Coordinates of all heavy atoms in Angstrom, one line a residue:
D8 N -14.8 18.6 -19.3 CA -14.0 17.6 -18.6 C -13.4 18.3 -17.4 O -12.7 19.3 -17.5 CB -12.9 17.2 -19.5 CG -12.1 16.0 -19.0 OD1 -12.1 15.8 -17.7 OD2 -11.4 15.3 -19.7
D9 N -13.6 17.8 -16.2 CA -13.1 18.3 -14.9 C -11.8 17.7 -14.5 O -11.4 18.0 -13.3 CB -14.2 18.1 -13.8 CG -15.4 19.0 -14.1 OD1 -15.3 20.0 -14.8 OD2 -16.5 18.6 -13.5
A10 N -11.2 16.9 -15.3 CA -10.0 16.2 -14.9 C -8.8 17.2 -14.7 O -8.7 18.1 -15.5 CB -9.5 15.2 -15.9
K11 N -8.1 17.1 -13.6 CA -7.0 18.0 -13.3 C -5.8 17.2 -12.8 O -6.0 16.1 -12.2 CB -7.4 19.0 -12.2 CG -8.5 19.9 -12.6 CD -8.9 20.9 -11.5 CE -10.0 21.8 -12.0 NZ -10.5 22.6 -10.9
A12 N -4.6 17.7 -13.0 CA -3.4 17.1 -12.5 C -3.5 17.2 -10.9 O -4.1 18.1 -10.4 CB -2.2 17.8 -13.0
C13 N -2.8 16.3 -10.3 CA -2.7 16.4 -8.8 C -1.3 16.0 -8.4 O -0.5 15.4 -9.2 CB -3.8 15.5 -8.1 SG -3.5 13.8 -8.4
T14 N -1.0 16.2 -7.1 CA 0.3 15.8 -6.6 C 0.0 14.9 -5.4 O -0.9 15.2 -4.6 CB 1.1 17.0 -6.1 OG1 1.3 17.8 -7.3 CG2 2.4 16.6 -5.6
I15 N 0.8 13.8 -5.3 CA 0.6 12.9 -4.2 C 2.0 12.6 -3.6 O 3.0 12.6 -4.4 CB -0.1 11.5 -4.6 CG1 -0.4 10.7 -3.5 CG2 0.7 10.8 -5.7 CD1 -1.3 9.5 -3.8
S16 N 2.1 12.4 -2.3 CA 3.4 12.1 -1.7 C 3.2 11.3 -0.4 O 2.2 11.5 0.3 CB 4.1 13.4 -1.3 OG 5.3 13.2 -0.7
G17 N 4.1 10.4 -0.1 CA 4.0 9.7 1.1 C 3.9 8.2 0.9 O 4.2 7.7 -0.2
Y18 N 3.5 7.5 2.0 CA 3.4 6.1 2.0 C 1.9 5.7 2.1 O 1.2 6.3 2.9 CB 4.1 5.5 3.2 CG 5.6 5.7 3.2 CD1 6.1 7.0 3.7 CD2 6.5 4.8 2.8 CE1 7.5 7.2 3.7 CE2 7.9 5.0 2.8 CZ 8.3 6.2 3.2 OH 9.7 6.5 3.3
P19 N 1.5 4.7 1.3 CA 0.1 4.3 1.5 C 0.0 3.5 2.8 O 1.0 3.0 3.3 CB -0.2 3.4 0.3 CG 1.2 3.0 -0.2 CD 2.1 4.0 0.2
S20 N -1.2 3.5 3.4 CA -1.5 2.7 4.5 C -1.9 1.3 4.0 O -2.7 1.2 3.1 CB -2.6 3.3 5.4 OG -2.3 4.5 5.9
V21 N -1.3 0.3 4.5 CA -1.6 -1.1 4.1 C -1.8 -2.0 5.3 O -1.0 -2.0 6.2 CB -0.4 -1.7 3.2 CG1 -0.7 -3.1 2.8 CG2 -0.1 -0.8 2.0
A22 N -2.9 -2.7 5.3 CA -3.2 -3.6 6.3 C -3.6 -5.0 5.7 O -4.3 -5.1 4.8 CB -4.4 -3.1 7.2
L23 N -3.0 -6.1 6.3 CA -3.5 -7.4 6.0 C -4.5 -7.8 7.0 O -4.2 -7.7 8.2 CB -2.3 -8.4 6.0 CG -1.1 -8.1 5.0 CD1 0.0 -9.1 5.2 CD2 -1.6 -8.2 3.6
N24 N -5.6 -8.2 6.5 CA -6.8 -8.6 7.4 C -7.1 -10.1 7.3 O -6.9 -10.7 6.3 CB -8.0 -7.7 7.1 CG -7.7 -6.3 7.2 OD1 -7.0 -5.8 8.1 ND2 -8.2 -5.5 6.3
R25 N -7.7 -10.6 8.4 CA -8.3 -11.9 8.4 C -9.6 -11.9 9.2 O -9.6 -11.4 10.3 CB -7.3 -12.9 9.1 CG -7.8 -14.3 9.1 CD -6.8 -15.3 9.8 NE -7.4 -16.6 9.9 CZ -7.2 -17.5 8.9 NH1 -6.6 -17.3 7.8 NH2 -7.7 -18.7 9.1
S26 N -10.6 -12.3 8.5 CA -12.0 -12.3 9.1 C -12.3 -10.9 9.7 O -12.9 -10.9 10.8 CB -12.1 -13.4 10.2 OG -11.8 -14.7 9.6
G27 N -12.0 -9.9 9.0 CA -12.3 -8.5 9.5 C -11.4 -7.9 10.5 O -11.6 -6.8 10.9
S28 N -10.4 -8.6 11.0 CA -9.5 -8.1 12.0 C -8.1 -7.9 11.3 O -7.7 -8.7 10.5 CB -9.3 -9.1 13.1 OG -10.5 -9.2 13.8
V29 N -7.4 -6.9 11.7 CA -6.1 -6.6 11.2 C -5.0 -7.6 11.8 O -4.9 -7.7 13.0 CB -5.6 -5.1 11.5 CG1 -4.2 -4.9 11.1 CG2 -6.6 -4.1 10.9
L30 N -4.3 -8.2 10.9 CA -3.2 -9.1 11.3 C -1.9 -8.3 11.4 O -1.2 -8.5 12.4 CB -2.9 -10.2 10.2 CG -3.9 -11.3 10.0 CD1 -3.5 -12.2 8.9 CD2 -4.0 -12.2 11.3
V31 N -1.7 -7.5 10.5 CA -0.4 -6.7 10.5 C -0.6 -5.4 9.6 O -1.4 -5.5 8.6 CB 0.8 -7.5 10.0 CG1 0.7 -7.9 8.6 CG2 2.1 -6.8 10.3
T32 N 0.0 -4.3 10.0 CA 0.0 -3.2 9.1 C 1.5 -3.0 8.6 O 2.4 -3.3 9.4 CB -0.4 -1.9 9.9 OG1 0.4 -1.7 11.0 CG2 -1.9 -2.0 10.3
A33 N 1.6 -2.5 7.4 CA 2.9 -2.3 6.8 C 3.6 -1.0 7.4 O 2.9 -0.1 7.8 CB 2.8 -2.1 5.3
T34 N 4.9 -1.1 7.6 CA 5.7 0.0 8.0 C 6.5 0.5 6.8 O 6.8 -0.2 5.9 CB 6.6 -0.4 9.2 OG1 7.4 -1.5 8.7 CG2 5.8 -0.8 10.4
P35 N 6.9 1.8 6.9 CA 7.7 2.3 5.8 C 9.0 1.6 5.7 O 9.6 1.2 6.7 CB 7.9 3.8 6.2 CG 6.7 4.1 7.0 CD 6.5 2.9 7.8
T36 N 9.4 1.3 4.5 CA 10.7 0.7 4.2 C 11.8 1.6 4.7 O 11.9 2.8 4.3 CB 10.9 0.4 2.7 OG1 9.8 -0.4 2.3 CG2 12.2 -0.4 2.5
A37 N 12.7 1.0 5.5 CA 13.9 1.8 6.1 C 14.7 2.4 4.9 O 14.9 1.7 3.9 CB 14.7 0.9 7.0
G38 N 15.1 3.6 5.1 CA 16.0 4.2 4.1 C 15.3 4.8 2.9 O 16.0 5.4 2.0
T39 N 14.0 4.7 2.8 CA 13.3 5.3 1.7 C 12.8 6.7 2.1 O 12.5 7.0 3.3 CB 12.1 4.5 1.3 OG1 11.2 4.3 2.4 CG2 12.5 3.1 0.8
V40 N 12.7 7.6 1.1 CA 12.3 8.9 1.3 C 11.1 9.2 0.3 O 11.2 9.0 -0.9 CB 13.4 9.9 1.0 CG1 13.0 11.4 1.2 CG2 14.6 9.6 2.0
A41 N 10.0 9.7 0.8 CA 8.9 10.1 0.0 C 9.1 11.4 -0.7 O 9.7 12.3 -0.1 CB 7.6 10.2 0.9
Q42 N 8.8 11.4 -2.0 CA 8.9 12.6 -2.8 C 7.6 12.9 -3.5 O 6.8 11.9 -3.7 CB 10.0 12.5 -3.8 CG 11.4 12.3 -3.2 CD 12.5 12.2 -4.3 OE1 12.3 12.4 -5.5 NE2 13.7 12.0 -3.8
A43 N 7.3 14.1 -3.7 CA 6.0 14.5 -4.4 C 6.0 13.9 -5.8 O 7.0 14.0 -6.5 CB 5.9 16.0 -4.4
V44 N 4.9 13.3 -6.2 CA 4.7 12.8 -7.5 C 3.5 13.5 -8.2 O 2.4 13.6 -7.6 CB 4.4 11.3 -7.5 CG1 4.1 10.7 -8.8 CG2 5.5 10.5 -6.8
R45 N 3.8 14.2 -9.3 CA 2.7 14.9 -10.0 C 2.1 13.9 -11.0 O 2.7 13.3 -11.8 CB 3.3 16.1 -10.7 CG 2.2 16.9 -11.4 CD 2.7 18.3 -11.7 NE 1.8 19.1 -12.5 CZ 0.7 19.7 -12.0 NH1 0.4 19.6 -10.7 NH2 -0.1 20.4 -12.8
L46 N 0.8 13.8 -10.9 CA 0.0 12.9 -11.7 C -0.9 13.7 -12.7 O -1.7 14.5 -12.3 CB -0.9 12.0 -10.9 CG -0.2 11.1 -9.9 CD1 -1.2 10.3 -9.1 CD2 0.7 10.1 -10.7
A47 N -0.7 13.4 -14.0 CA -1.5 14.0 -15.0 C -2.9 13.3 -14.9 O -3.0 12.2 -14.4 CB -0.9 13.8 -16.4
P48 N -4.0 13.9 -15.5 CA -5.3 13.3 -15.5 C -5.2 11.9 -16.1 O -4.6 11.7 -17.1 CB -6.1 14.2 -16.3 CG -5.5 15.5 -16.2 CD -4.0 15.3 -16.1
G49 N -5.7 10.9 -15.3 CA -5.7 9.5 -15.8 C -4.4 8.7 -15.5 O -4.3 7.5 -15.7
A50 N -3.4 9.4 -15.0 CA -2.1 8.7 -14.6 C -2.3 8.0 -13.3 O -3.2 8.2 -12.5 CB -1.0 9.8 -14.5
Q51 N -1.4 7.1 -13.0 CA -1.5 6.2 -11.8 C -0.2 6.3 -11.0 O 0.9 6.5 -11.6 CB -1.7 4.8 -12.2 CG -3.0 4.5 -12.9 CD -3.1 3.0 -13.2 OE1 -2.3 2.2 -12.9 NE2 -4.2 2.7 -13.9
A52 N -0.3 6.2 -9.7 CA 0.8 6.0 -8.8 C 0.9 4.6 -8.3 O -0.1 3.9 -8.4 CB 0.7 7.0 -7.6
Q53 N 2.1 4.2 -7.9 CA 2.2 2.8 -7.4 C 3.2 2.8 -6.2 O 3.9 3.8 -6.0 CB 2.7 1.9 -8.5 CG 4.1 2.2 -9.0 CD 4.5 1.3 -10.2 OE1 3.7 0.9 -11.0 NE2 5.8 1.0 -10.3
S54 N 3.2 1.7 -5.5 CA 4.1 1.5 -4.4 C 4.4 0.0 -4.3 O 3.6 -0.8 -4.6 CB 3.4 2.0 -3.1 OG 4.2 1.8 -2.0
Q55 N 5.6 -0.2 -3.8 CA 6.1 -1.6 -3.7 C 5.8 -2.1 -2.3 O 6.2 -1.4 -1.3 CB 7.6 -1.7 -4.0 CG 8.2 -3.1 -3.8 CD 7.8 -4.0 -4.9 OE1 7.6 -3.7 -6.0 NE2 7.7 -5.3 -4.5
L56 N 5.3 -3.3 -2.1 CA 5.0 -4.0 -0.9 C 6.0 -5.1 -0.7 O 6.1 -5.9 -1.7 CB 3.6 -4.4 -0.8 CG 3.1 -5.0 0.5 CD1 3.0 -4.0 1.6 CD2 1.7 -5.7 0.3
T57 N 6.7 -5.2 0.4 CA 7.7 -6.3 0.6 C 7.2 -7.0 1.8 O 7.0 -6.4 2.9 CB 9.1 -5.7 0.8 OG1 9.4 -5.0 -0.3 CG2 10.1 -6.9 1.0
D58 N 7.1 -8.4 1.7 CA 6.7 -9.2 2.9 C 7.9 -10.0 3.3 O 8.8 -10.3 2.6 CB 5.5 -10.1 2.5 CG 5.9 -11.2 1.6 OD1 6.4 -10.9 0.6 OD2 5.6 -12.4 2.0
Y59 N 7.9 -10.3 4.6 CA 8.9 -11.2 5.2 C 8.1 -12.3 5.9 O 7.9 -12.4 7.1 CB 9.7 -10.4 6.3 CG 10.4 -9.2 5.6 CD1 9.8 -8.0 5.5 CD2 11.7 -9.4 5.2 CE1 10.5 -6.9 4.9 CE2 12.4 -8.3 4.6 CZ 11.8 -7.1 4.4 OH 12.5 -6.1 3.9
S60 N 7.7 -13.3 5.0 CA 6.8 -14.4 5.4 C 7.6 -15.5 6.1 O 7.5 -16.7 5.6 CB 6.0 -14.9 4.3 OG 5.2 -13.8 3.8
T61 N 8.4 -15.2 7.1 CA 9.2 -16.2 7.7 C 8.7 -16.6 9.1 O 9.3 -17.4 9.7 CB 10.7 -15.7 7.8 OG1 10.6 -14.4 8.6 CG2 11.3 -15.5 6.5
C62 N 7.6 -16.0 9.5 CA 7.0 -16.4 10.8 C 5.9 -17.4 10.6 O 5.6 -17.7 9.4 CB 6.5 -15.1 11.5 SG 5.1 -14.4 10.8
N63 N 5.3 -17.8 11.6 CA 4.2 -18.8 11.5 C 2.8 -18.1 11.8 O 1.9 -18.7 12.4 CB 4.4 -19.9 12.5 CG 3.6 -21.1 12.2 OD1 3.2 -21.3 11.0 ND2 3.3 -22.0 13.2
A64 N 2.7 -16.9 11.3 CA 1.4 -16.1 11.5 C 0.3 -16.7 10.6 O 0.6 -17.3 9.6 CB 1.7 -14.6 11.3
P65 N -0.9 -16.4 11.0 CA -2.0 -16.8 10.1 C -2.0 -16.1 8.7 O -1.3 -15.1 8.6 CB -3.3 -16.4 10.9 CG -2.8 -16.0 12.2 CD -1.4 -15.7 12.2
L66 N -2.7 -16.7 7.8 CA -2.8 -16.1 6.4 C -3.9 -15.0 6.4 O -4.9 -15.2 7.0 CB -3.1 -17.2 5.4 CG -2.0 -18.2 5.2 CD1 -2.5 -19.3 4.2 CD2 -0.7 -17.6 4.6
S67 N -3.6 -14.0 5.7 CA -4.7 -12.9 5.5 C -5.7 -13.4 4.5 O -5.5 -14.4 3.8 CB -4.0 -11.6 5.0 OG -3.5 -11.8 3.7
D68 N -6.9 -12.8 4.5 CA -7.9 -13.1 3.5 C -8.2 -11.8 2.6 O -8.7 -11.9 1.5 CB -9.1 -13.7 4.0 CG -9.8 -12.9 5.1 OD1 -9.5 -11.7 5.3 OD2 -10.6 -13.4 5.9
T69 N -7.8 -10.6 3.1 CA -7.9 -9.4 2.4 C -6.8 -8.5 2.6 O -6.1 -8.6 3.7 CB -9.2 -8.7 2.7 OG1 -9.2 -8.4 4.1 CG2 -10.5 -9.4 2.3
I70 N -6.6 -7.6 1.7 CA -5.6 -6.5 1.9 C -6.4 -5.2 1.8 O -7.3 -5.1 0.9 CB -4.5 -6.5 0.9 CG1 -3.4 -5.5 1.2 CG2 -5.0 -6.4 -0.6 CD1 -2.1 -5.6 0.4
E71 N -6.1 -4.2 2.6 CA -6.7 -2.9 2.6 C -5.7 -1.9 2.4 O -4.7 -1.8 3.1 CB -7.5 -2.7 3.9 CG -8.4 -1.5 3.8 CD -9.3 -1.4 5.1 OE1 -9.6 -2.5 5.7 OE2 -9.8 -0.3 5.4
V72 N -5.8 -1.1 1.3 CA -4.8 -0.1 1.0 C -5.5 1.3 0.9 O -6.5 1.4 0.2 CB -4.1 -0.4 -0.4 CG1 -3.1 0.7 -0.7 CG2 -3.5 -1.8 -0.4
T73 N -4.9 2.3 1.5 CA -5.4 3.7 1.5 C -4.3 4.6 1.0 O -3.1 4.5 1.5 CB -5.9 4.1 2.9 OG1 -6.8 3.2 3.3 CG2 -6.4 5.5 2.8
A74 N -4.6 5.4 0.0 CA -3.6 6.3 -0.6 C -3.1 7.2 0.6 O -3.8 7.5 1.6 CB -4.2 7.2 -1.7
P75 N -1.8 7.8 0.4 CA -1.3 8.7 1.4 C -2.3 9.8 1.7 O -2.8 10.4 0.8 CB 0.0 9.2 0.8 CG 0.4 8.1 -0.2 CD -0.9 7.6 -0.7
N76 N -2.5 10.1 3.0 CA -3.3 11.2 3.4 C -4.8 11.0 2.9 O -5.5 12.0 2.8 CB -2.8 12.5 3.0 CG -1.4 12.8 3.6 OD1 -1.1 12.5 4.7 ND2 -0.5 13.3 2.7
G77 N -5.2 9.8 2.6 CA -6.5 9.5 2.1 C -6.8 10.3 0.8 O -7.9 10.6 0.5
A78 N -5.8 10.5 -0.1 CA -5.9 11.3 -1.3 C -7.1 10.8 -2.1 O -7.2 9.7 -2.5 CB -4.6 11.2 -2.1
N79 N -8.0 11.8 -2.4 CA -9.1 11.5 -3.3 C -9.9 10.3 -2.9 O -10.4 9.6 -3.8 CB -8.6 11.4 -4.8 CG -8.0 12.6 -5.3 OD1 -8.4 13.7 -5.0 ND2 -7.0 12.5 -6.1
G80 N -10.0 10.0 -1.6 CA -10.8 8.9 -1.2 C -10.2 7.6 -1.7 O -10.9 6.6 -1.8
G81 N -8.9 7.6 -2.0 CA -8.2 6.4 -2.7 C -8.0 5.3 -1.7 O -6.9 5.2 -1.1
N82 N -9.0 4.4 -1.5 CA -8.8 3.2 -0.7 C -9.5 2.1 -1.4 O -10.4 2.2 -2.2 CB -9.3 3.4 0.7 CG -10.8 3.7 0.8 OD1 -11.4 3.9 -0.2 ND2 -11.3 3.8 2.0
L83 N -8.9 0.9 -1.2 CA -9.5 -0.3 -1.7 C -9.2 -1.5 -0.8 O -8.3 -1.5 0.0 CB -8.9 -0.6 -3.1 CG -7.6 -1.3 -3.2 CD1 -7.8 -2.6 -3.9 CD2 -6.6 -0.5 -4.1
S84 N -10.1 -2.4 -0.9 CA -10.0 -3.7 -0.2 C -10.3 -4.8 -1.2 O -11.3 -4.8 -1.9 CB -11.0 -3.7 1.0 OG -10.9 -4.9 1.7
R85 N -9.3 -5.8 -1.2 CA -9.4 -6.9 -2.2 C -9.0 -8.2 -1.5 O -8.2 -8.2 -0.6 CB -8.5 -6.6 -3.3 CG -8.8 -5.4 -4.2 CD -10.0 -5.7 -5.1 NE -10.2 -4.6 -6.0 CZ -10.9 -3.6 -5.9 NH1 -11.6 -3.4 -4.7 NH2 -11.1 -2.7 -6.8
P86 N -9.5 -9.3 -2.0 CA -9.1 -10.6 -1.5 C -7.6 -10.7 -1.7 O -7.1 -10.3 -2.8 CB -9.8 -11.6 -2.4 CG -11.0 -10.9 -2.9 CD -10.6 -9.4 -3.0
F87 N -6.8 -11.2 -0.7 CA -5.4 -11.2 -0.8 C -4.9 -12.2 0.3 O -5.2 -12.0 1.4 CB -4.8 -9.8 -0.6 CG -3.4 -9.7 -0.9 CD1 -3.0 -9.5 -2.2 CD2 -2.4 -9.6 0.1 CE1 -1.6 -9.3 -2.6 CE2 -1.1 -9.5 -0.2 CZ -0.7 -9.3 -1.5
V88 N -4.1 -13.2 -0.1 CA -3.6 -14.1 0.8 C -2.1 -14.0 1.0 O -1.3 -14.1 0.0 CB -3.9 -15.6 0.4 CG1 -3.3 -16.6 1.4 CG2 -5.4 -15.8 0.3
L89 N -1.7 -13.6 2.2 CA -0.3 -13.5 2.5 C -0.1 -13.8 4.0 O -1.0 -13.4 4.8 CB 0.2 -12.0 2.2 CG 1.7 -11.7 2.3 CD1 2.4 -12.5 1.2 CD2 1.9 -10.3 2.0
R90 N 1.0 -14.4 4.4 CA 1.2 -14.6 5.8 C 1.4 -13.3 6.6 O 2.0 -12.4 6.1 CB 2.5 -15.5 6.0 CG 2.5 -16.1 7.4 CD 3.3 -17.4 7.5 NE 2.9 -18.5 6.7 CZ 1.9 -19.3 6.9 NH1 1.1 -19.1 8.0 NH2 1.6 -20.3 6.1
G91 N 0.7 -13.2 7.7 CA 0.7 -11.9 8.5 C 2.0 -11.6 9.3 O 1.9 -11.4 10.5
C92 N 3.1 -11.7 8.6 CA 4.4 -11.4 9.3 C 4.7 -9.9 9.0 O 3.8 -9.1 8.7 CB 5.5 -12.3 8.7 SG 5.1 -14.1 8.9
K93 N 6.0 -9.6 9.1 CA 6.4 -8.2 8.9 C 6.2 -7.8 7.4 O 6.5 -8.6 6.5 CB 7.9 -8.1 9.2 CG 8.5 -6.7 9.0 CD 10.0 -6.7 9.3 CE 10.6 -5.4 8.9 NZ 12.0 -5.4 9.1
V94 N 5.6 -6.6 7.2 CA 5.4 -6.1 5.8 C 5.9 -4.7 5.8 O 5.6 -3.9 6.7 CB 3.9 -6.2 5.5 CG1 3.6 -5.7 4.1 CG2 3.4 -7.6 5.6
E95 N 6.6 -4.3 4.7 CA 7.1 -3.0 4.5 C 6.5 -2.4 3.2 O 6.3 -3.2 2.3 CB 8.6 -2.9 4.5 CG 9.3 -3.3 5.8 CD 10.8 -3.2 5.7 OE1 11.4 -3.3 4.6 OE2 11.4 -3.1 6.8
V96 N 6.4 -1.1 3.2 CA 5.8 -0.4 2.0 C 6.7 0.7 1.6 O 7.2 1.5 2.5 CB 4.4 0.0 2.2 CG1 4.3 1.1 3.3 CG2 3.7 0.5 0.9
D97 N 7.0 0.9 0.3 CA 7.7 2.0 -0.2 C 6.8 3.2 -0.5 O 5.6 3.0 -0.6 CB 8.4 1.6 -1.6 CG 9.5 0.6 -1.4 OD1 10.0 0.4 -0.3 OD2 10.0 0.1 -2.5
P98 N 7.4 4.4 -0.6 CA 6.6 5.6 -0.9 C 6.0 5.4 -2.3 O 6.6 4.7 -3.1 CB 7.6 6.7 -0.8 CG 8.9 6.1 -0.9 CD 8.8 4.7 -0.5
V99 N 5.0 6.2 -2.6 CA 4.4 6.2 -3.9 C 5.4 6.7 -4.9 O 6.2 7.6 -4.6 CB 3.0 6.9 -4.0 CG1 2.0 6.2 -3.1 CG2 3.2 8.4 -3.6
K100 N 5.2 6.3 -6.1 CA 6.0 6.8 -7.3 C 5.1 6.7 -8.5 O 4.0 6.1 -8.5 CB 7.3 6.0 -7.5 CG 7.1 4.5 -7.9 CD 8.4 3.8 -8.1 CE 8.2 2.4 -8.6 NZ 9.4 1.7 -8.8
L101 N 5.6 7.3 -9.6 CA 4.8 7.4 -10.8 C 4.6 5.9 -11.3 O 5.6 5.2 -11.4 CB 5.5 8.2 -11.8 CG 4.6 8.6 -13.1 CD1 3.4 9.3 -12.7 CD2 5.5 9.4 -14.0
G102 N 3.4 5.6 -11.6 CA 3.1 4.2 -12.1 C 3.5 4.1 -13.5 O 3.7 5.0 -14.3
S103 N 3.7 2.8 -13.9 CA 4.1 2.5 -15.3 C 3.0 2.0 -16.1 O 1.9 1.7 -15.7 CB 5.2 1.5 -15.3 OG 4.9 0.4 -14.5

């Protein structure tokens, strides 16, 4: 078994896309501070995304998320519908 613990820190990159074009990218939540999170093999990290869907922007059709610093190639793209207004992201923390 080659599984090893790792440490991750920072904010994931998050983009709401529509038809392959970026509508909006998330900015770090004001007043938050990233701290190192040690992950045991098989453990997960998570981050909170907050949207401010009060504008009249188009709706996204996908969300693209990349782990801080591209950790372990951690990126994903999934169908996701959200209005492309202001979006903020918290730093990663230990998943539950």
